[in-house]
Amino acid sequence: NGYVNHHNFSDFNLQLNISTPKIFVLNTKQQPDAPFYGDGFVSGNITIEGDMNKLSFHGDDLSTQSGTVFCLPISFADKAYASDVITFVVPEDVKNLVEEEQAPENSMEMDFDFIFNVTPAADIKLDLDLSAFGGRIKTKGAGQLHFTYNTKKDKINILGDVELQSGTFMMTFAQLLNKKFELMPGGVVSF
């Protein structure tokens, strides 16, 4: 439910409240500089409001549904630290390229603020590519993630913890060694 207002088909503004058992909210393909990609299906309540300059999308109690595959490549990070938090640092080359390709001034700003209850119905993939060492973690788990993104600022934040219930880690070392490890329940991935 909601409304869409306009003045002679200009100066649009809207407020929509969506309540759904399953909606397709993410459909992005893997690209070299993409901070994330995959398909996402969620249930819950989503609010969309704004005007021709800015739209805001908000949901604070969404749950992942079957068909969700969220991939987070860590290869675009210049540095990664072993700690309770994964820290991403954008290399200067990518930062300069992003600054050169700024969106036109008349493009609409979109602001996303979602809190997801991650369920075992979702697949989470973490692609690691840190110099000679790399691999892929494929896992299912449960937890809560807070995702924010603004198209003008081009800034993504993902905060929260996912407790692993099952999965694998395919480790590679200097393209010489490939070893598959089974993940034990109880491990935690912190964002």
Side-chain angles (χ1 to χ4, degrees):
N1 65 41
Y3 64 83
V4 178
N5 289 332
H6 64 88
H7 185 264
N8 294 327
F9 294 101
S10 63
D11 298 325
F12 282 87
N13 67 64
L14 62 92
Q15 180 167 351
L16 302 174
N17 298 307
I18 300 167
S19 181
T20 178
K22 188 171 185 179
I23 189 170
F24 192 29
V25 294
L26 177 66
N27 180 20
T28 56
K29 304 295 179 211
Q30 183 177 10
Q31 297 180 6
D33 60 347
F36 63 89
Y37 63 94
D39 295 327
F41 295 90
V42 298
S43 63
N45 300 314
I46 300 171
T47 301
I48 305 171
E49 59 187 351
D51 55 30
M52 296 298 291
N53 297 316
K54 182 178 180 179
L55 279 180
S56 296
F57 299 78
H58 178 79
D60 59 3
D61 192 22
L62 303 174
S63 294
T64 59
Q65 298 296 312
S66 62
T68 298
V69 179
F70 183 74
C71 303
L72 188 62
I74 301 179
S75 58
F76 73 89
D78 188 34
K79 297 177 184 172
Y81 302 94
S83 70
D84 290 340
V85 178
I86 298 173
T87 303
F88 301 100
V89 179
V90 177
E92 286 301 316
D93 296 345
V94 174
K95 187 184 286 185
N96 294 337
L97 182 63
V98 168
E99 290 171 359
E100 291 171 10
E101 296 179 359
Q102 291 294 325
E105 286 299 318
N106 61 355
S107 67
M108 179 185 295
E109 178 179 2
M110 291 190 282
D111 194 48
F112 300 89
D113 186 351
F114 295 124
I115 296 176
F116 293 102
N117 294 309
V118 178
T119 67
D123 292 319
I124 301 169
K125 297 179 182 179
L126 302 174
D127 291 332
L128 308 171
D129 185 10
L130 308 169
S131 63
F133 171 77
R136 173 176 265 190
I137 296 173
K138 293 181 181 181
T139 187
K140 290 184 176 287
Q144 191 173 70
L145 294 178
H146 187 185
F147 172 87
T148 60
Y149 177 64
N150 182 283
T151 57
K152 289 279 188 188
K153 297 174 186 170
D154 197 31
K155 185 174 182 179
I156 296 171
N157 287 312
I158 303 173
L159 300 171
D161 297 321
V162 176
E163 185 174 331
L164 307 181
Q165 294 182 352
S166 64
T168 60
F169 173 47
M170 178 60 88
M171 182 183 74
T172 59
F173 183 71
Q175 297 181 356
L176 299 173
L177 173 68
N178 291 318
K179 180 69 177 165
K180 184 176 181 179
F181 296 93
E182 293 294 324
L183 300 177
M184 300 298 294
V188 175
V189 177
S190 297
F191 294 90

